[in-house]
Amino acid sequence: MFEAGTNWKKHFSDFGGQAYLDCAAQGPFPLESAEEVRRALHYKEHPESIPEALFEELPARVRAAAARLIGCHPDGIAIGSGASHGMNVAARGLPLATGDEVLLAEGEFPAVVFPWMNLEPLGVRVRFVGPSSGRLASASDLIAAIGPKTRVIATSLVSFLTGYRTDLQALGDACRERGLYLVVDGAQGVGAIDFRVGDFPIDILAVSGYKWLFGPYGTGFTYVNSRVLEKMRVGDVNWQCVEGATHLNRPSDFVLRFKDGARRFDIPETASFLNLSGLAASIEFLNRVRVASVEFHVTRLLDRLVRGVEGSGLRVVSDLSPKRRSTILALEGTTVEQTRRAYRNLRGKGVVVSLRGNLIRVSPNIYHGPEDIDRFLECAAS
């Protein structure tokens, strides 16, 4: 664990002199993760050096790091390619039937939506819930919309648009009381806000590795609650997750019996050297930093931005109440053109942020200091 006051910036690149305030889109490698990938590259250049144990040890290393990150047992972790993997595991695996209904919020990220829409030819209905406040539907909006056919509520832990943090406790309690499944996209929250999956009644949690976890693009993991594991169907069989299948020097009786835990939902070819080496190193780095330290540091930076934005022509859209805010801040101008002009100014002057809808999305991390926020404010106002 790093001590308070650690200069985290030195663990990352200098971003070519730009202020990279866009971790919600792509998190950068820590320098040690980049070095780990370079070591992994050696295995493909020199396959004669690949140890056989790597195919088991590397996934186990990621599982252990991810489990520590979210506070669960490693058996609860499946290794995937991003949050979409977890959403598809849920949509294809949960025991849904013709006439069942899935509730989604209007304005959700596409990865949360399309796996469920893919079930509509099978007779599963997707129903969207509009917000009561002009933003992403709240937990109370979703709970009020539960009907007799509802079987699943799928939601983001943190909205990719505004950074709004969902009340998972209220939502999960309502699901448990009614016998529903709660599926959560944690892409914009896990690694950024202090979060333990066991604190909430979550059945499936899908996580991207390449945003707040600082991992490679095309990585992630999925938590599957043990209470639903045996109820779920495996959509794509990874042969390495079948008992006895990896004993290639012995005849196989071809009995499909999955290994214990959520690993049955691992993507095939799980032990990709380049991807998993980088992901393992990045999550281990984050575990040493501690997510609580990330959240504290980023909150202070965003507080500075909120205080300084007055007079810039932009206003804060995000909910800043303690239980609903996150490490994403959304801003907008008084008109669409003013917002887009401010965005162009920022990007043109080396301040990297995202434009989502008509919102400027700011998402700093531990590699930023107050000077990066001041640069944003100066460039946004010019």
Side-chain angles (χ1 to χ4, degrees):
M1 184 180 71
F2 295 112
E3 298 295 329
T6 296
N7 178 16
W8 291 310
K9 184 174 286 193
K10 70 182 181 182
H11 293 272
F12 295 84
S13 80
D14 64 0
F15 305 109
Q18 299 189 67
Y20 184 75
L21 297 164
D22 203 14
C23 192
Q26 284 281 341
F29 271 166
L31 297 179
E32 64 190 66
S33 299
E35 183 58 33
E36 185 104 4
V37 171
R38 281 189 284 270
R39 284 195 294 268
L41 182 62
H42 178 82
Y43 288 135
K44 288 304 290 182
E45 292 177 322
H46 295 278
E48 75 279 2
S49 68
I50 300 174
E52 285 191 20
L54 187 71
F55 294 94
E56 288 287 339
E57 291 175 354
L58 191 51
R61 181 182 166 194
V62 171
R63 245 182 278 279
R68 180 183 171 194
L69 184 76
I70 65 171
C72 72
H73 192 277
D75 280 352
I77 300 295
I79 297 171
S81 56
S84 292
H85 167 261
M87 281 292 153
N88 278 286
V89 163
R92 297 169 65 187
L94 289 171
L96 301 179
T98 298
D100 287 347
E101 178 182 80
V102 179
L103 288 187
L104 303 171
E106 293 276 6
E108 266 290 5
F109 191 76
V112 183
V113 176
F114 291 131
W116 305 103
M117 293 184 70
N118 193 44
L119 301 180
E120 290 181 329
L122 304 178
V124 176
R125 180 191 178 204
V126 173
R127 181 156 62 92
F128 291 94
V129 179
S132 59
S133 59
R135 300 298 173 199
L136 192 68
S138 66
S140 57
D141 294 325
L142 289 164
I143 293 168
I146 294 172
K149 296 291 187 179
T150 305
R151 295 292 177 268
V152 176
I153 296 179
T155 187
S156 292
L157 168 58
V158 170
S159 166
F160 81 103
L161 278 173
T162 65
Y164 178 83
R165 192 191 308 196
T166 300
D167 185 350
L168 293 182
Q169 190 65 57
L171 202 53
D173 288 345
C175 287
R176 288 287 189 272
E177 290 167 6
R178 296 162 174 83
L180 312 183
Y181 300 108
L182 177 60
V183 179
V184 178
D185 180 348
Q188 296 294 5
V190 175
I193 59 176
D194 201 14
F195 173 86
R196 296 291 180 273
V197 72
D199 293 341
F200 303 98
I202 296 171
D203 292 304
I204 297 173
L205 174 72
V207 183
S208 299
Y210 51 89
K211 298 178 186 291
W212 300 95
L213 303 191
F214 307 139
Y217 189 69
T219 61
F221 66 86
T222 299
Y223 162 81
V224 181
N225 193 312
S226 59
R227 86 179 195 103
V228 301
L229 183 66
E230 297 302 331
K231 300 178 183 178
M232 295 179 63
R233 177 182 177 274
V234 177
D236 296 307
V237 176
N238 178 351
W239 67 273
Q240 292 175 304
C241 297
V242 176
E243 288 285 0
T246 55
H247 300 151
L248 299 179
N249 297 324
R250 298 204 299 258
S252 174
D253 56 6
F254 290 107
V255 174
L256 180 58
R257 184 172 61 252
F258 292 110
K259 294 178 181 178
D260 290 339
R263 72 181 64 200
R264 67 191 63 180
F265 297 110
D266 281 359
I267 56 171
E269 284 67 59
T270 308
S272 166
F273 317 132
L274 301 182
N275 270 354
L276 280 208
S277 295
L279 181 62
S282 290
I283 299 179
E284 288 164 357
F285 170 83
L286 187 55
N287 281 332
R288 293 196 301 276
V289 173
R290 294 195 312 168
V291 176
S293 299
V294 174
E295 184 176 9
F296 178 77
H297 181 77
V298 175
T299 298
R300 289 202 304 174
L301 292 176
L302 292 180
D303 285 344
R304 184 182 186 92
L305 195 156
V306 170
R307 290 193 300 269
V309 78
E310 186 175 351
S312 70
L314 298 174
R315 70 178 188 90
V316 175
V317 172
S318 300
D319 189 332
L320 298 181
S321 58
K323 291 185 177 181
R324 301 282 80 85
R325 73 181 299 183
S326 69
T327 50
I328 293 174
L329 191 73
L331 305 163
E332 68 178 357
T334 55
T335 65
V336 171
E337 179 50 38
Q338 184 182 5
T339 303
R340 292 172 185 257
R341 184 168 59 250
Y343 172 74
R344 291 192 297 269
N345 284 343
L346 289 163
R347 293 297 298 245
K349 295 178 180 180
V351 179
V352 182
V353 292
S354 285
L355 185 67
R356 295 291 183 266
N358 189 45
L359 300 177
I360 294 173
R361 189 182 68 183
V362 186
S363 50
N365 211 300
I366 55 171
Y367 38 78
H368 292 110
E371 68 278 4
D372 297 297
I373 300 302
D374 294 344
R375 183 174 174 181
F376 174 97
L377 293 169
E378 178 183 350
C379 294
S382 60

